[in-house]
Amino acid sequence: AASALGKIGGPAVEPLIARLGDADRQVREAAASALGQIGGPAVEPLIARLGDADRQVRQAAASVLVQIGGPAVEPLIARLGDADRQVREAAASALGEIGGPAVEPLIARLGDADRQVREAAASALGQIGDVRAVGPLIARLGDADLMVRVAAAAALEQIGDPKGLEAVRQAQKEGRL
């Protein structure tokens, strides 16, 4: 039924969103897949689901937003400033998968008060691979949280810029990693 609703398009968005909260995991997965087929009209309701109380629903919403791609970028960037840490984290992760225009907003999230958001932003920047992130990621090698430092180091290694790689070696030498 979810697959058929995905072919209907826009009018099926709300019923499919409701199925993201279904008790049956296969129903949730089918609803997410169908929403990915619909694309643009599903973006806002899916972004709203990033704040769902159920972790699996949040993950399904983020996954579908990645499939939708371009139309989801601006709304996801807006969610980087959400009051809920889990929403900011899910948005950062999804933007890392999508890439492109999210670099500057993700760089800004490297300074988030929550360490998991900083970690997600660093990982996303590594996935994107844009050299604009090298300086801010080098700065995160001095983060108070070890996991953020590790994520920043991994991102710098993914980017592969010589300046970033040297900073990682120096941080390892100094025992920060």
Side-chain angles (χ1 to χ4, degrees), residues 3-12 38:
S3 179
L5 286 172
K7 292 176 185 169
I8 291 173
I38 293 172

Short mmCIF file of all heavy atoms in Angstrom, two decimals, residues 3-12 38:
data_model
loop_
_atom_site.label_atom_id
_atom_site.label_comp_id
_atom_site.label_asym_id
_atom_site.label_seq_id
_atom_site.Cartn_x
_atom_site.Cartn_y
_atom_site.Cartn_z
N SER A 3 3.83 1.63 -1.26
CA SER A 3 4.41 1.80 -2.59
C SER A 3 3.40 2.45 -3.53
O SER A 3 3.75 3.35 -4.31
CB SER A 3 4.86 0.45 -3.14
OG SER A 3 5.39 0.60 -4.43
N ALA A 4 2.15 2.02 -3.47
CA ALA A 4 1.10 2.60 -4.30
C ALA A 4 0.88 4.06 -3.95
O ALA A 4 0.71 4.91 -4.83
CB ALA A 4 -0.20 1.82 -4.14
N LEU A 5 0.91 4.38 -2.66
CA LEU A 5 0.76 5.77 -2.24
C LEU A 5 1.91 6.62 -2.76
O LEU A 5 1.72 7.79 -3.11
CB LEU A 5 0.67 5.87 -0.71
CG LEU A 5 -0.64 5.41 -0.09
CD1 LEU A 5 -0.52 5.37 1.43
CD2 LEU A 5 -1.79 6.31 -0.51
N GLY A 6 3.11 6.06 -2.81
CA GLY A 6 4.26 6.79 -3.34
C GLY A 6 4.06 7.18 -4.78
O GLY A 6 4.53 8.24 -5.22
N LYS A 7 3.34 6.37 -5.55
CA LYS A 7 3.06 6.68 -6.95
C LYS A 7 2.00 7.76 -7.09
O LYS A 7 1.96 8.46 -8.10
CB LYS A 7 2.65 5.41 -7.69
CG LYS A 7 3.81 4.42 -7.81
CD LYS A 7 3.38 3.13 -8.44
CE LYS A 7 4.58 2.18 -8.41
NZ LYS A 7 4.22 0.82 -8.76
N ILE A 8 1.14 7.89 -6.09
CA ILE A 8 0.09 8.92 -6.13
C ILE A 8 0.71 10.31 -6.02
O ILE A 8 0.29 11.24 -6.67
CB ILE A 8 -0.94 8.69 -4.99
CG1 ILE A 8 -1.74 7.44 -5.29
CG2 ILE A 8 -1.85 9.90 -4.83
CD1 ILE A 8 -2.66 7.01 -4.16
N GLY A 9 1.72 10.44 -5.17
CA GLY A 9 2.39 11.73 -5.04
C GLY A 9 1.92 12.56 -3.88
O GLY A 9 1.59 12.05 -2.81
N GLY A 10 1.86 13.88 -4.09
CA GLY A 10 1.59 14.87 -3.05
C GLY A 10 0.45 14.56 -2.09
O GLY A 10 0.62 14.70 -0.87
N PRO A 11 -0.73 14.16 -2.57
CA PRO A 11 -1.84 13.89 -1.64
C PRO A 11 -1.54 12.75 -0.66
O PRO A 11 -2.20 12.64 0.36
CB PRO A 11 -3.00 13.52 -2.57
CG PRO A 11 -2.66 14.07 -3.90
CD PRO A 11 -1.15 14.07 -3.97
N ALA A 12 -0.57 11.92 -0.98
CA ALA A 12 -0.27 10.77 -0.12
C ALA A 12 0.77 11.07 0.94
O ALA A 12 1.05 10.22 1.78
CB ALA A 12 0.21 9.61 -0.99
N ILE A 38 8.22 10.36 -3.79
CA ILE A 38 7.43 11.59 -3.96
C ILE A 38 8.33 12.80 -4.11
O ILE A 38 8.08 13.69 -4.91
CB ILE A 38 6.44 11.76 -2.78
CG1 ILE A 38 5.39 10.65 -2.85
CG2 ILE A 38 5.78 13.14 -2.81
CD1 ILE A 38 4.47 10.59 -1.65
#
